[in-house]
Amino acid sequence: MRLVFAGTPEVAVPALDALIDSDRHEVVAVVTRPDAPAGRGRKLVASPVAQRAEEAGIEVLKPAKPSDPDFVARLTELAPDCCPVVAYGALLRPGTLEIPKHGWVNLHFSLLPAWRGAAPVQHAVLAGDEVTGASTFLIEQGLDSGPVYGVITEEIRPSDTSGELLTRLSVSGARLLAATMDGIEDGSLHAVPQPAEGVTLAPKITVEDARIEWNHPALRIDRVVRGCAPAPGAWTEFRGERLKVTGPVKLLPESAELAPGEVAMVGKNSVRVGTGSHDVELGEVRPQGKKEMRAADWARGARLEPGERFGLPAGGSEG
């Protein structure tokens, strides 16, 4: 088939590579989001998908909106049989959806109909799911509601961050998307409507969602830290400034000596914080305006006072 691939971030690159390497299909163009500011200089930088396509000598289209007349005209000229999609990041309108013969087929990182939306992997980790996966489905106007071509499953490990889990899914999902293109091409694969039951939503995780509530149980805090890594990053407040908790926390069920949010140095290398259930040990943190560091190194520099708490304004205490 003639394919026009749509995708933007690094997580979409394995799928693009799988389709470029296929001897059954030709990627005639790539659609991606426009160049965006990045780095300290805020210079415009092409998306990872655009960079990979340019390396492969593939035409790159960067419409501000996929409904732009010039883009629609060019897509019509390219006459794709199918448009595979991975994390493109823009809403597709009916006129654009109808151009390819076999439609637009999305690789979504959940077992649909669970976790429809922008952040399925993060929500699976936050919810404590033990298994997730990826699905390929035909895009229609509803939110991730189209009929499904195929699925793969992936275990969520107890230590997984969202970033680690998404990296694995991007590789296994790439194989699924390539196999879906094969099945559509030879007629062996037909999309099946999603069940009406089991629908859950996965909206984008906000910075406020990533704030650690220390009165919650330790298990919940562990999921917030892992689910929000690497972005937007779990955080708390210390002496009036934001402190990111970037590394997974270690659960200490045998210890419940600290009040929720109370932070203390135990020995030379252990920084512990109280929660709504039992204490946790911090891994890595990133103070405001500084680089990531071991929690013990941060605590030594901060010179913790007895009874100090996370989540309180500068000089704050509760009594």
Side-chain angles (χ1 to χ4, degrees), residues 89-125:
L91 191 63
L92 299 165
R93 298 296 182 184
T96 311
L97 290 175
E98 294 163 5
I99 292 174
K101 176 182 177 181
H102 295 288
W104 297 66
V105 176
N106 191 41
L107 172 65
H108 183 75
F109 297 113
S110 81
L111 297 174
L112 291 170
W115 303 128
R116 294 177 179 174
V121 174
Q122 291 94 327
H123 279 276
V125 175

Side-chain angles (χ1 to χ4, degrees), residues 204-291:
K204 183 179 178 181
I205 301 294
T206 67
V207 171
E208 192 55 36
D209 292 332
R211 182 174 189 157
I212 299 172
E213 301 289 348
W214 294 104
N215 60 332
H216 287 175
L219 188 60
R220 172 64 183 170
I221 291 168
D222 168 59
R223 291 173 183 170
V224 169
V225 173
R226 292 187 295 110
C228 295
W235 62 278
T236 189
E237 202 173 38
F238 182 72
R239 296 176 183 169
E241 292 189 342
R242 188 169 295 186
L243 177 74
K244 283 204 171 185
V245 180
T246 55
V249 298
K250 180 180 179 182
L251 306 183
L252 303 170
E254 75 286 352
S255 175
E257 301 171 1
L258 303 172
E262 184 180 354
V263 56
M265 188 85 172
V266 178
K268 293 183 178 181
N269 294 301
S270 179
V271 179
R272 299 186 180 187
V273 190
T275 74
S277 57
H278 48 266
D279 299 347
V280 297
E281 184 176 86
L282 297 184
E284 289 78 38
V285 300
R286 188 166 80 236
Q288 194 167 312
K290 297 182 180 179
K291 294 181 179 180

Side-chain angles (χ1 to χ4, degrees), residues 37-43 289 291:
R40 289 188 176 182
R42 307 305 289 166
K43 293 182 179 180
K291 294 181 179 180

Side-chain angles (χ1 to χ4, degrees), residues 180-191:
T180 299
M181 293 297 106
D182 293 347
I184 291 173
E185 187 270 332
D186 65 20
S188 64
L189 200 56
H190 302 280

Side-chain angles (χ1 to χ4, degrees), residues 11 121 125 154-171 226-227 229-231 246-248:
V11 71
V121 174
V125 175
E154 181 76 36
E155 178 188 0
I156 301 179
R157 301 166 186 166
S159 62
D160 269 340
T161 64
S162 290
E164 292 165 345
L165 179 56
L166 187 55
T167 296
R168 296 204 306 275
L169 285 170
S170 71
V171 175
R226 292 187 295 110
T246 55

